[in-house]
Amino acid sequence: MEERKLHSVMAEFTDVNSLMAAAERVRDAGFRKWDCHTPFPVHGLDDAMGVKMTRLPWIVLAMGLTGCGLGLLLQWWTNAYDYPYIISGKPVWAIPANIPITFEVTVLFSAFTAFFAMWIMNDLPRWFSPLSRKKNFARATDDRFFVVIEAADPQFDGVRTAEFLNGLGAASVEEVEMPDEPTRLPARYRHLLFTLAMAMLVPLAMIYNAQHKTSTEPRVHLVKDMDKQARFRPQGETLAGLFADGRMSRPRIEGTVGRGMLREDEGLETGMEGGEYVTAVPSALQVDEDFVRRGQERFGIYCAPCHGFTGKGDGLVHQRALQLAAEGNAQWVQPTDLSSALVVDQADGRLYETIRMGRNTMPAYASAIPVEDRWAIVLYVRALQRAAAQ
Amino acid sequence: MNSLNEAVQDVQAGDLAPRVARIGLVVGVVGLLVGAGFGLTGDAHAKQHFWFAWLVAFAYVLTIGMGTLFFSMIQHLVNAHWSVTVRRLAEITMANLPAICLLGLPLLVPLLDGHGTLWKWAGGGHHGEEAAHGAEVPGGESGAAAEAVEPAAQADPLGVQLAEEEHHEFVEHKRPFLNSGFFIARLIGYFLIWALMARFFFRGSVAQDSASDAAPTLRMKKWSAPAIIVFALTLSFAAFDLLMSLDETWFSTIFGVYIFAGSFVACFAWLVVCAKFLQSRGVMKNAVTREHYHDLGKFMFAFVFFWGYIAFSQFMLIWYANIPEETHWYANRITPAWINWSWLLLIGHFLIPFPGLLSRHVKRRTGVLLFWAIYMLVMHWVDLYWIVMPNLDPQHVNFGVVDVALTLGMVGILVFLTARRASGQALLPVNDPLLPQSLGFKNA
Amino acid sequence: MADSFTVPAAATQDERVFPAPLVAGTNDFASVTETVCSIVEAPRAPKAWYVIFGIAVALLGVLGAMIVYLVSTGVGVWGNNQPVAWGWPIVNFVFWVGIGHAGTLISAVLFLFRQGWRTGINRFSEAMTIFAVICAGMFPAIHVGRIWVIWWVFPIPNQMSMWPNFRSPLLWDVFAVSTYFSVSLLFWYMGLVPDLATIRDRAKTKARRFWYGLFSLGWTGSNRQWHRYERAYLILAALATPLVLSVHSVVSFDFATSQLPGWHTTIFPPYFVAGAIFSGFAMVLTLAIPARKMFGLEDLITMRHIENMCKIIMATGMMVGYAYAMEFFMAWYSGNTYEGFAFVNRAFGPYWWAYWIMVSCNVISPQIFWSKKARTNLTLVFIMSIFVNIGMWFERFVITVTSLNRDFLPSSWHYFSPTWVDVLTLLGSFGLFFTLFMLFCRWLPQVAISEVKNVMPQAHPHHHPSEGKEG
């Protein structure tokens, strides 16, 4: 049988004391590529072997600090920068509220680093070791202790090293041969793993593709959620025979009037009578100082934001819009100056209609301002006009 | 590893103890006198400040005593090996609890003067105003009247201070608990209980030195559990009484734990300082090893973290819910005057020592560890100052001679008492059953 | 210049001071290996295993059915209503996540305190942690309603360009529990590797050699590898300690950051952590007492282990009691009428029965452990451990439901009752837990073999090594 190449020489010890003594001797003899194999970490063996403290803690510290920074950055960027919104009165960047997650991310990074770095630095996983071919070596994870000196060590000499180990009180000394069959993963497994890795890229590619294309097809909607609801839509089909006229939106019942819809006094309600704007506040209302003051108050609430407190059209909305327009973010037409000739010449009824129905870009305020208040505002506008004329 | 016989060499302080005691006494008396001199001869405002400073200094030495008491008891409860060599140092500190408690006696003066000088609820009806206008001066000296009239809005920019009627209602509600009579009775109760516990655990430990078996240790172990339960309750209520009730409408269920956390950090720091000092003078050279310092350092680190966790919990929960009846306490500590002190506390008591004490190398270099121990003792004082002083005046920090003098005075007295207790005493529990293990362990 | 002392030897020899050995009986390394590995290698499990596994799988099936019913029909199948929007699901979540804490405490905190007795139970309890956290994490996931968009809780870009609200404690929970789960898993797996290698080296069949070989990563017990391994273990233990404190604190923040009386109180974080450890240790006992009998582990999980666990249960129970006392005192002291009412309501309101179950199970019944006789009576300890967990479930129930059921506005008060779906889901979660646990017992080493060997007297060398030329 041809002589196989030696991997190492292995000595078996029965207890920790003889192991420790042997390890010290091996260390002192100047060997470098050697190791002990024990079923549990033996205290003091690191010193006996001359093993230096690992750098792992520093790597963990560095990654932990990274995690800390990333945790803070994540929370700041998402909640305070990219899409800031105020919730429950907290500032957009609420540091006390960010501490728990920052802490967790720090621990997460540190722990994962400790775990993975340790295996990597230990050169594991390694699914084959020549030592595992020796029957005795199985007891390294049970109740025996081994010293293994590798042939690659410069001081290694096949026969002398074995004798040396024997002299240290070993229960047995054996030679460990290098395997001659290949120890890499067989080709078919490697190809399989490669194929799997490529296959995992496919869904990612599909997602990328979908995100950068548009489509006229509706989205795939796996969970219908509330798409189909058990209800009837206003203009939609109706349950046969439910209503004689086949409509789901029902018309008003004969002889009824919606609340607030009984418009008996057309002039009061609409500001127009017989197609013409009324020219004075309807007599149904009592016009006195209180009424005008009410108008002032209501004007300050509803009108001043755009038209300004003086009615000149310089309210806060206008100021803000000017800012936005200066940034190029808005198109803006200044709210009408209520003291301008145009408005002064308009009839009271027309002013009323403007408030009620809106005009141009001004929205309708009918839903916000009740009828009397609208007339009070009209009167106040007249007061502003009179003041401006002086 | 040092053998048992080596370790028990030089475990007495010899004539070091009386010398240190003398220095302690001198510093103590001078400090208190200087503090009193500056404090009690000023105006009413200065006198009030004096009492607040006395409370800070008193709480400082009291918390060191309580921390060391807890340390002594918990080691018995859990059968700890590592701590045996330093336990006697904790014991000679906590054995002085009765005397330390007496240092609190002068606080009866501001308690009973009827103006609510220190604890406002003890005053006769002025408490409402004092809360709403931080700088109000009781007793009305005309010279101080000008600064007494502070616009309410300026004193309450965040709008969290309670209106006077509400304030009054809350204080009256607590009257059955917060009244001078019951308060004094409670304090006497706490002091008696602590005196009993201190005596029991000190005497037991000393008895073990000359016992022929482990009976004293076993007895102390048996009583440690009930004692710790009583400790937890008395410390918490003492914290409520002495410190929390300074702001008579505020409350926090975690406050007792918060004070405990600070005390325990101070305990470990104190032990490092004591051990280093003694070893530098040739005492206990072989008994307290690098391994013990490493463990003391680990605990200091752990409890700095624990303190930070408790302090954060208290702050964040109150901040988050934003309920004015709780937030005003913190609002008083983020005023323009006190905000820097708050930053000092956060950064100095947590953000700096946390990385500082992280590395095992720091914990094994006793010189560096000593630096951190002294640092944490200072920070513990900063913590107590921050808890107490803003109740006097949220708008001004009047840090000065009185604060320093009184604290140094109290610490001097504590050193005096401890050194006196150390005279003629073995500073190592020489006959403790676990002493061999204490000398023999090694940190990873 | 001090008197030296001669040390009387008597005290150090007093046996009463020293606890029983960690490994009982006449065991050496080989017998420890045999005891633990033979369970995994046995061709058939003990009969009791099949019975328990069968029941567990059946309950797991019930859980599956309940979840399908829930997701297809909606959250209305539960008893949650307004104002009690958090019902059993959240109570169960806090319950399970609390139980998980004991495992990490035993693994990490007791390791930092150099408590050798942890080695008999740490593998067991770490496994319990992982399975408990799985059960826990399931509840918030299914209680959201639209479980198919649960991924929105993670900061993953979505079609609304919205991000989760990191200022919410519910999101802190997501991060805390996921971190806790992954770190515990890593820690547990790391501890398993040397023991899986032991099983691999004893394996008689090819399949066993393959699977245990795969997961043991080629571990050979090399000391250079042990060195880094031990360092990583220490670092993980040091990280897991604040982590375990933080996780249940974050869970408590779910309640304490609110403004509800009974919920908003600053002591919640440490109180919840103490309660979690309390219930976790009880669950370890509930599992360990039958398991050690069933699988012949009495020499490795000894009476000393049982007693120590009972003492920790007492200690943490006291901490929980302390918290009750503080809350109760402050409820009066604060003068806050709502807070005061909340506490009176707990004791005498519609849920008074839940409150008193909680108090008797959590505060009163653990007092029995003052007696050494009680601590060493296995039947009693087993029964007590179940009581503790019942008490802790009720504690979460009382906290959650009484504060919601009657808060500030009496017109909003409404009673909460669970539905049959709530009850079966809770029972089903035990099925999930026990299924996983039984699988663990059968196929993985229940005791940390290498760690137990490490604390046996034979493991410690008599002399200390010299520093050598490089030292």
Side-chain angles (χ1 to χ4, degrees):
Chain A
M1 190 153 76
E2 93 187 44
E3 181 82 9
R4 292 231 187 94
K5 204 162 160 243
L6 260 191
H7 170 262
S8 56
V9 175
M10 179 173 95
E12 180 179 341
F13 294 85
T14 52
D15 63 288
V16 291
N17 291 305
S18 48
L19 173 78
M20 289 277 276
E24 286 184 327
R25 298 275 302 278
V26 175
R27 172 197 72 196
D28 291 340
F31 286 101
R32 297 252 167 202
K33 284 186 177 304
W34 68 287
D35 207 346
C36 296
H37 293 258
T38 57
F40 52 86
V42 179
H43 288 307
L45 190 56
D46 290 340
D47 284 334
M49 284 179 65
V51 173
K52 290 219 195 50
M53 180 68 81
T54 166
R55 274 167 304 151
L56 180 65
W58 295 104
I59 301 174
V60 173
L61 177 68
M63 288 305 289
L65 289 171
T66 307
C68 183
L70 284 179
L72 271 172
L73 184 68
L74 169 71
Q75 295 177 90
W76 169 79
W77 194 83
T78 55
N79 279 182
Y81 182 77
D82 188 56
Y83 194 144
Y85 63 98
I86 298 175
I87 188 160
S88 46
K90 307 285 179 289
V92 288
W93 194 19
I95 297 179
N98 289 339
I99 300 283
I101 290 186
T102 307
F103 175 78
E104 301 297 340
V105 176
T106 307
V107 170
L108 188 73
F109 270 64
S110 310
F112 271 65
T113 305
F115 182 82
F116 286 106
M118 183 268 291
W119 294 121
I120 293 171
M121 288 167 83
N122 274 345
D123 203 23
L124 290 174
R126 203 201 305 162
W127 283 299
F128 175 77
S129 162
L131 299 171
S132 58
R133 286 286 160 85
K134 311 301 298 185
K135 220 166 78 88
N136 278 1
F137 193 69
R139 289 181 83 169
T141 53
D142 185 0
D143 62 346
R144 288 293 163 92
F145 309 85
F146 292 82
V147 173
V148 174
I149 302 181
E150 286 178 45
D153 189 296
Q155 290 198 301
F156 186 83
D157 173 290
V159 173
R160 278 221 297 274
T161 308
E163 277 174 7
F164 170 64
L165 282 174
N166 236 320
L168 296 179
S172 72
V173 178
E174 286 179 68
E175 289 182 341
V176 180
E177 293 93 17
M178 285 287 227
D180 45 23
E181 56 283 11
T183 58
R184 287 181 72 209
L185 205 58
R188 60 169 186 276
Y189 291 112
R190 270 185 287 128
H191 293 156
L192 180 66
L193 277 176
F194 179 76
T195 314
L196 272 173
M198 289 296 112
M200 294 217 301
L201 291 176
V202 170
L204 293 173
M206 287 172 67
I207 293 173
Y208 181 82
N209 186 37
Q211 284 197 334
H212 293 263
K213 265 181 30 186
T214 56
S215 166
T216 51
E217 294 295 313
R219 269 208 319 268
V220 173
H221 208 173
L222 287 172
V223 180
K224 298 299 178 193
D225 217 349
M226 292 174 84
D227 292 352
K228 283 190 178 341
Q229 297 176 13
R231 65 182 175 94
F232 294 102
R233 280 178 276 165
Q235 311 276 346
E237 59 204 68
T238 137
L239 189 61
L242 189 59
F243 289 109
D245 58 5
R247 290 154 69 179
M248 291 313 295
S249 312
R250 308 305 305 156
R252 188 150 40 96
I253 296 171
E254 286 290 321
T256 60
V257 168
R259 208 182 282 204
M261 303 288 260
L262 186 66
R263 302 219 169 89
E264 289 168 322
D265 184 342
E266 194 195 349
L268 179 70
E269 302 277 347
T270 67
M272 290 183 86
E273 249 164 24
E276 296 287 318
Y277 289 116
V278 300
T279 51
V281 174
S283 49
L285 298 171
Q286 185 185 357
V287 177
D288 54 17
E289 189 184 334
D290 284 343
F291 192 66
V292 182
R293 289 218 178 275
R294 172 83 180 165
Q296 178 185 36
E297 190 215 18
R298 295 285 115 178
F299 182 91
I301 294 171
Y302 293 106
C303 316
C306 288
H307 290 283
F309 284 100
T310 56
K312 292 269 189 272
D314 57 354
L316 277 176
V317 172
H318 173 68
Q319 312 285 357
R320 177 68 178 137
L322 283 182
Q323 262 180 11
L324 290 173
E327 291 167 21
N329 284 331
Q331 315 262 26
W332 183 246
V333 174
Q334 183 168 14
T336 309
D337 178 357
L338 297 174
S339 320
S340 63
L342 175 71
V343 184
V344 169
D345 288 341
Q346 287 175 353
D348 285 354
R350 189 171 142 123
L351 290 182
Y352 177 88
E353 189 198 49
T354 304
I355 297 172
R356 174 172 165 250
M357 311 258 280
R359 193 171 308 277
N360 301 332
T361 47
M362 172 175 157
Y365 277 84
S367 54
I369 310 179
V371 173
E372 280 112 17
D373 285 340
R374 297 174 207 162
W375 286 111
I377 292 174
V378 169
L379 272 181
Y380 182 66
V381 169
R382 293 296 185 211
L384 283 178
Q385 290 171 345
R386 198 181 294 183
Q390 285 167 359
Chain B
M1 162 178 156
N2 298 318
S3 76
L4 203 51
N5 286 317
E6 282 175 354
V8 300
Q9 306 299 319
D10 302 328
V11 294
Q12 285 210 324
D15 36 90
L16 180 63
R19 264 189 292 143
V20 173
R22 227 175 300 130
I23 298 174
L25 185 60
V26 167
V27 170
V29 171
V30 167
L32 293 179
L33 283 176
V34 167
F38 277 85
L40 291 173
T41 55
D43 59 7
H45 192 74
K47 284 204 192 78
Q48 196 182 21
H49 179 99
F50 169 80
W51 288 119
F52 272 78
W54 187 281
L55 179 61
V56 172
F58 171 62
Y60 187 67
V61 295
L62 182 65
T63 48
I64 294 179
M66 294 300 280
T68 46
L69 173 62
F70 180 77
F71 180 87
S72 311
M73 298 193 294
I74 193 97
Q75 307 308 326
H76 290 296
L77 180 69
V78 299
N79 248 13
H81 299 177
W82 72 274
S83 56
V84 176
T85 53
V86 295
R87 202 184 69 231
R88 182 58 54 79
L89 299 177
E91 287 164 354
I92 56 171
T93 312
M94 66 84 164
N96 306 308
L97 266 173
I100 293 173
C101 292
L102 285 176
L103 287 171
L105 259 183
L107 292 171
L108 283 175
V109 173
L111 173 68
L112 297 172
D113 72 357
H115 296 303
T117 307
L118 186 53
W119 294 285
K120 302 194 197 83
W121 47 263
H126 289 288
H127 47 73
E129 303 159 60
E130 266 124 37
H133 309 283
E136 186 83 304
V137 168
E141 303 255 321
S142 58
E147 70 173 354
V149 179
E150 217 159 322
Q154 199 181 328
D156 185 19
L158 295 171
V160 296
Q161 304 298 344
L162 296 167
E164 188 169 334
E165 318 84 64
E166 285 177 337
H167 192 100
H168 188 77
E169 195 186 302
F170 281 126
V171 176
E172 283 313 303
H173 169 84
K174 298 188 199 354
R175 189 64 65 196
F177 189 77
L178 290 183
N179 60 74
S180 315
F182 194 10
F183 184 81
I184 294 175
R186 283 198 302 277
L187 285 178
I188 294 177
Y190 308 143
F191 295 168
L192 278 176
I193 291 173
W194 296 338
L196 259 165
M197 294 200 294
R199 206 173 91 134
F200 177 78
F201 285 96
F202 180 70
R203 293 222 177 149
S205 184
V206 171
Q208 180 67 60
D209 281 356
S210 44
S212 56
D213 63 6
T217 300
L218 289 166
R219 199 175 54 239
M220 286 194 288
K221 187 172 150 72
K222 185 170 107 136
W223 285 102
S224 57
I228 287 179
I229 295 169
V230 172
F231 173 90
L233 290 168
T234 49
L235 178 68
S236 302
F237 279 92
F240 297 157
D241 282 331
L242 291 170
L243 302 174
M244 194 173 84
S245 74
L246 287 168
D247 182 329
E248 68 276 30
T249 55
W250 188 69
F251 56 93
S252 164
T253 39
I254 207 176
F255 195 75
V257 185
Y258 180 65
I259 298 301
F260 163 72
S263 317
F264 214 32
V265 176
C267 162
F268 288 108
W270 175 259
L271 290 176
V272 169
V273 171
C274 288
K276 272 299 276 182
F277 173 72
L278 287 168
Q279 288 194 322
S280 70
R281 299 286 192 276
V283 182
M284 305 239 291
K285 285 256 278 292
N286 299 316
V288 182
T289 66
R290 201 177 296 270
E291 307 300 335
H292 300 112
Y293 282 110
H294 191 167
D295 273 4
L296 283 171
K298 279 198 237 172
F299 273 105
M300 212 166 26
F301 172 73
F303 278 90
V304 162
F305 177 82
F306 182 71
W307 177 92
Y309 158 69
I310 299 293
F312 174 72
S313 299
Q314 183 174 260
F315 170 73
M316 192 275 290
L317 290 174
I318 290 180
W319 170 85
Y320 203 102
N322 206 15
I323 303 174
E325 77 182 356
E326 297 175 342
T327 55
H328 70 262
W329 195 85
Y330 280 102
N332 285 344
R333 286 156 180 78
I334 57 171
T335 56
W338 283 99
I339 183 74
N340 292 322
W341 205 273
S342 297
W343 278 118
L344 174 64
L345 189 66
L346 168 65
I347 297 175
H349 203 300
F350 182 73
L351 289 177
I352 292 180
F354 184 83
L357 284 165
L358 188 59
S359 157
R360 72 192 303 274
H361 300 290
V362 163
K363 300 192 270 269
R364 292 183 79 83
R365 308 238 312 259
T366 56
V368 183
L369 190 63
L370 176 66
F371 163 75
W372 285 111
I374 297 174
Y375 177 88
M376 287 320 301
L377 282 171
V378 172
M379 282 299 141
H380 178 57
W381 183 85
V382 169
D383 187 16
L384 287 171
Y385 196 82
W386 177 86
I387 291 172
V388 171
M389 276 301 172
N391 295 299
L392 165 63
D393 185 352
Q395 308 303 333
H396 299 99
V397 179
N398 284 318
F399 179 73
V401 175
V402 176
D403 302 299
V404 177
L406 286 180
T407 302
L408 283 178
M410 292 278 192
V411 173
I413 304 277
L414 178 67
V415 168
F416 160 69
L417 291 167
T418 308
R420 213 174 61 142
R421 184 80 54 175
S423 295
Q425 185 70 261
L427 293 177
L428 184 71
V430 289
N431 193 23
D432 192 292
L434 298 173
L435 184 58
Q437 277 98 321
S438 184
L439 294 166
F441 81 97
K442 228 177 173 263
N443 269 297
Chain C
M1 81 133 65
D3 297 335
S4 52
F5 288 78
T6 53
V7 183
T12 54
Q13 305 303 332
D14 191 332
E15 273 183 4
R16 293 174 297 172
V17 179
F18 299 104
L22 287 167
V23 177
T26 50
N27 275 299
D28 60 3
F29 298 141
S31 65
V32 169
T33 309
E34 179 62 34
T35 309
V36 182
C37 292
S38 58
I39 302 170
V40 176
E41 293 160 358
R44 296 191 66 77
K47 213 185 301 203
W49 185 90
Y50 290 100
V51 174
I52 299 178
F53 187 68
I55 298 174
V57 171
L59 283 176
L60 177 62
V62 169
L63 177 70
M66 290 300 106
I67 293 180
V68 169
Y69 180 46
L70 170 78
V71 173
S72 61
T73 312
V75 178
V77 303
W78 282 337
N80 301 19
N81 58 37
Q82 293 295 350
V84 189
W86 279 1
W88 280 38
I90 294 304
V91 173
N92 296 339
F93 161 65
V94 182
F95 174 72
W96 280 114
V97 112
I99 284 178
H101 282 59
T104 320
L105 187 105
I106 293 172
S107 293
V109 179
L110 291 182
F111 177 78
L112 293 178
F113 282 131
R114 295 189 292 259
Q115 297 292 302
W117 61 273
R118 63 179 273 283
T119 54
I121 49 172
N122 70 328
R123 174 65 46 71
F124 206 76
S125 45
E126 282 164 32
M128 179 196 83
T129 291
I130 291 170
F131 305 143
V133 175
I134 291 174
C135 290
M138 172 190 75
F139 279 102
I142 62 177
H143 99 313
V144 292
R146 288 187 299 167
I147 188 173
W148 48 93
V149 286
I150 190 72
W151 59 277
W152 286 348
V153 300
F154 294 106
I156 299 172
N158 56 44
Q159 75 275 24
M160 302 171 292
S161 298
M162 279 192 77
W163 301 106
N165 174 22
F166 288 103
R167 286 157 283 183
S168 163
L170 302 182
L171 207 73
W172 306 344
D173 244 345
V174 169
F175 275 72
V177 176
S178 339
T179 304
Y180 186 50
F181 177 71
S182 29
V183 173
S184 298
L185 190 63
L186 291 182
F187 200 26
W188 179 70
Y189 178 60
M190 197 169 106
L192 265 174
V193 167
D195 292 350
L196 293 175
T198 304
I199 299 179
R200 170 201 68 199
D201 289 340
R202 288 164 54 108
K204 301 272 193 304
T205 69
K206 197 150 180 233
R208 221 177 253 281
R209 249 203 320 272
F210 177 77
W211 287 108
Y212 287 98
L214 182 71
F215 285 104
S216 57
L217 308 179
W219 181 261
T220 52
S222 138
N223 190 55
R224 293 183 197 274
Q225 291 175 343
W226 273 122
H227 172 77
R228 291 189 200 93
Y229 177 95
E230 285 288 283
R231 220 53 349 233
Y233 199 94
L234 175 64
I235 292 174
L236 275 178
L239 287 169
T241 302
L243 179 65
V244 77
L245 270 186
S246 73
V247 172
H248 224 61
S249 298
V250 169
V251 171
S252 81
F253 289 155
D254 288 344
F255 300 93
T257 51
S258 74
Q259 297 173 333
L260 280 185
W263 281 18
H264 179 65
T265 180
T266 44
I267 203 169
F268 257 35
Y271 155 47
F272 264 52
V273 174
I277 297 168
F278 182 54
S279 65
F281 269 82
M283 184 59 95
V284 174
L285 280 173
T286 307
L287 296 170
I289 293 176
R292 66 194 280 273
K293 190 112 195 283
M294 210 196 306
F295 296 106
L297 293 168
E298 282 107 328
D299 279 349
L300 299 177
I301 305 177
T302 65
M303 286 316 295
R304 178 175 163 189
H305 294 86
I306 306 280
E307 268 202 83
N308 281 348
M309 287 195 269
C310 290
K311 289 184 194 167
I312 292 185
I313 285 180
M314 274 211 75
T316 45
M318 292 294 173
M319 292 181 207
V320 170
Y322 168 86
Y324 290 166
M326 290 299 114
E327 284 188 309
F328 197 72
F329 173 71
M330 287 302 168
W332 172 81
Y333 178 88
S334 63
N336 181 329
T337 35
Y338 303 108
E339 194 79 26
F341 172 77
F343 279 86
V344 172
N345 178 52
R346 278 188 187 179
F348 302 110
Y351 291 102
W352 62 270
W353 45 273
Y355 179 82
W356 291 108
I357 293 177
M358 167 186 110
V359 170
S360 32
C361 290
N362 289 350
V363 182
I364 300 177
S365 61
Q367 302 304 320
I368 203 172
F369 286 147
W370 284 107
S371 140
K372 189 176 168 90
K373 263 184 90 178
R375 293 197 294 267
T376 47
N377 178 335
L378 285 175
T379 318
L380 188 62
V381 173
F382 180 75
I383 294 173
M384 285 304 314
S385 67
I386 295 183
F387 274 8
V388 167
N389 267 322
I390 291 175
M392 283 312 290
W393 189 92
F394 273 98
E395 180 191 278
R396 276 54 169 268
F397 178 80
V398 165
I399 291 175
T400 308
V401 175
T402 61
S403 286
L404 284 173
N405 145 260
R406 286 186 173 184
D407 63 12
F408 301 101
L409 201 58
S411 59
S412 303
W413 292 357
H414 193 44
Y415 194 73
F416 162 86
S417 305
T419 60
W420 60 275
V421 185
D422 278 313
V423 176
L424 286 182
T425 311
L426 174 61
L427 280 177
S429 67
F430 279 92
L432 173 62
F433 180 76
F434 279 101
T435 302
L436 292 170
F437 197 76
M438 287 294 119
L439 289 173
F440 158 78
C441 284
R442 180 73 180 96
W443 299 115
L444 289 174
Q446 289 181 41
V447 174
I449 305 171
S450 62
E451 297 193 53
V452 168
K453 288 179 188 166
N454 211 350
V455 297
M456 292 171 74
Q458 299 94 314
H460 296 121
H462 294 314
H463 80 291
H464 282 255
S466 55
E467 290 290 286
K469 298 180 200 143
E470 293 175 348

